Structures are given as C-alpha cells and as structure tokens.
Amino acid sequence: MLKPIKSILFATNLSENCIPAFEMAATLAVQNQATLVLVHVLAQMPDYVESRLKGMLGNEEFEALVQRNSNSARQALIGKQSSSNLIREALNQFCTNAGIEDDSCTYQSREIVVADGDLVDEIMTAAEKFDCGLIILGARENFLKDNAIGSTIKSVMRRSKIPVMMVPPA
C-alpha cells in the first residue's frame, strides 16, 4: 500500500534552475493536498575567510556583520509577509499560470525555512522536522554530463530515508 504524501520539502538556492522544480513541488502539493515546505540555506563562509575577517574586524564586529547580513538575506527572501501567505501567493500564481481552477487548487502551506549551516544537514533536518514524505531538488544544467550529479543531490540521496526527486532545468 502506498503511503500518502502529506508534506513535501522543496529545497532551493533561488536560481532559475529551480523554477521547474518549484512548479513540480507545487503541482504535487496541489494533487496530494500536501503541505509545502520551502527551504533555503544561506551559504556558509569558508573557515579561512571567517578567520581572516575575525582577525581584521575583531570577534564582536564580525558577529554583528554576520547577523546584519543574515537578517538582510532573510528579509530579501521572505519580506514582511508571513511565510504561509508567501507560499499561498506563489502557489496561487502558479495555479493561475497553469490554468488550474481555484476550487481544484487546494493545498496546505507550512513554512519557509531559511537556515544557516551545512546545506545537506539543514535539508535533512527540515525534512524530519516537518515529517516530509518527499524531497524535491532542482538540478543544474548538464547535471548528468559525464555522470556527474551534483554533490548536494548525491549527499541528500545518500542520507535520505524518503524519496528524493531531482527536476532538471527547463
């Protein structure tokens, strides 16, 4: 017996390559009346760069700079709207563009997760936290060239205990 998908995690780096993956995630969320969890992980600064900046600025000034930049990134990603409203607006726009009638465009929304840390760890943590039944990732162009799937996709697929869907760019 197939287990119903009640929650779908869509991880994005906000690039154009992720648009088809978002459309797939939204479609599956609508079809399954599932919760859609969007995850974006802020890029980690390499240790050697962090050490050099701490040396130049001092620990307190460095931490203040990191906090300001983190807050700016979060504001840029989610603005002043609640995450639920942002997801709902994006899905409504998707449904309109796809020609899906309002009555049949039913879904639930949960949250937009903006995290700092290791990309794969944060994806796996969010998938577990929100009890996701599927992880959807966007692939970059030529993702299968020379049998080289991206390291993030490989790592998520290795660690995941739930299905992982990789969606190529348009």
Side-chain angles (χ1 to χ4, degrees):
M1 184 166 158
L2 295 176
K3 183 179 173 183
I5 298 173
K6 296 179 182 178
S7 188
I8 298 170
L9 183 141
F10 166 60
T12 180
N13 64 2
L14 304 176
S15 71
E16 283 190 37
N17 289 343
C18 289
I19 293 172
F22 172 73
E23 290 174 349
M24 177 61 71
T27 298
L28 291 174
V30 169
Q31 289 174 348
N32 291 285
Q33 296 184 6
T35 298
L36 182 59
V37 179
L38 291 114
V39 175
H40 176 74
V41 179
L42 299 171
Q44 269 189 315
M45 187 181 313
D47 290 338
Y48 71 92
V49 174
E50 183 176 325
S51 297
R52 185 171 277 172
L53 286 174
K54 281 183 180 178
M56 290 172 30
L57 300 173
N59 280 340
E60 285 183 31
E61 185 60 32
F62 174 77
E63 292 301 325
L65 176 67
V66 168
Q67 189 61 43
R68 283 193 306 271
N69 287 331
S70 179
N71 289 340
S72 294
R74 280 182 173 80
Q75 275 311 108
L77 287 168
I78 63 177
K80 296 185 182 200
Q81 300 179 34
S82 73
S83 56
S84 178
N85 288 338
L86 187 62
I87 293 171
R88 187 167 281 111
E89 283 182 29
L91 288 174
N92 281 337
Q93 185 61 49
F94 168 76
C95 289
T96 300
N97 292 345
I100 301 171
E101 296 176 22
D102 287 344
D103 294 341
S104 61
C105 197
T106 56
Y107 53 85
Q108 300 174 18
S109 59
R110 168 85 45 97
E111 188 154 354
I112 294 178
V113 178
V114 181
D116 300 304
D118 178 73
L119 179 59
V120 177
D121 287 343
E122 295 298 333
I123 289 170
M124 301 314 299
T125 298
E128 185 175 329
K129 178 181 178 181
F130 294 104
D131 195 26
C132 295
L134 175 66
I135 297 172
I136 298 179
L137 304 169
R140 65 179 185 264
E141 287 200 41
N142 300 319
F143 68 97
L144 286 177
K145 186 177 181 183
D146 300 324
N147 276 340
I149 295 174
S151 61
T152 299
I153 293 172
K154 281 184 192 176
S155 295
V156 169
M157 291 175 84
R158 275 190 205 109
R159 289 184 49 191
S160 182
K161 294 179 180 168
I162 61 173
V164 177
M165 179 184 289
M166 181 177 54
V167 180

